[in-house]
Amino acid sequence: MLAAGALPWVLISYESGLSLVFSFGFVTPRPLHIQSVLEYVTTTRALPGWLLAYPTAAGLYAAAVASRALAAAALEDRRVTTGLLALAGLDLLYFAVSFSERRLGVVAVPVGVALLWFAAWANRPDDWLRA
């Protein structure tokens, strides 16, 4: 589950380069620039809903990590953790598809969706598919 947050979520290829979207923020390799999720939300004035899907996914992922941390005290409900991860992946998919369709010549590849959904599947309760 931690690997799902450490690896890039979305790869955005522009004509002039590549930007990487992580759970913690945007990274532009050349020149190296990192914009945190908090900075992304607070420094930009009015963001449309599709651009807010990314920080929402980051928040859902953070809540899933916190929910999973409750397992140390035997307080975790794995259904909640799994649901948060699945919703984070769905939000990220919405962000990437919307980003690609609104920006001509830009492709956003949502690799993090597979990572988040795999983490959700791996974290599912043992009796998930039993009646």
Side-chain angles (χ1 to χ4, degrees):
M1 186 164 92
L2 294 177
L7 297 172
W9 278 1
V10 180
L11 309 173
I12 303 173
S13 64
Y14 296 96
E15 303 82 18
S16 60
L18 178 75
S19 287
L20 306 171
V21 178
F22 286 88
S23 60
F24 58 85
F26 279 92
V27 176
T28 306
R30 295 182 194 195
L32 182 61
H33 177 72
I34 300 173
Q35 182 183 28
S36 71
V37 176
L38 184 60
E39 186 182 347
Y40 173 77
V41 173
T42 58
T43 60
T44 311
R45 297 207 181 228
L47 290 171
W50 63 274
L51 282 177
L52 288 174
Y54 158 63
T56 302
L60 288 167
Y61 173 74
V65 170
S67 175
R68 183 69 179 134
L70 290 173
L75 297 172
E76 178 197 22
D77 184 344
R78 291 174 72 180
R79 296 170 298 179
V80 172
T81 306
T82 299
L84 289 167
L85 289 167
L87 288 172
L90 191 61
D91 251 2
L92 201 57
L93 181 62
Y94 175 60
F95 169 78
V97 169
S98 297
F99 199 95
S100 294
E101 84 175 4
R102 287 178 171 81
R103 307 274 318 251
L104 193 59
V106 174
V107 177
V109 181
V111 293
V113 173
L115 297 170
L116 290 165
W117 285 350
F118 178 75
W121 181 256
N123 193 67
R124 75 192 185 286
D126 296 332
D127 59 351
W128 187 268
L129 299 177
R130 293 184 200 146

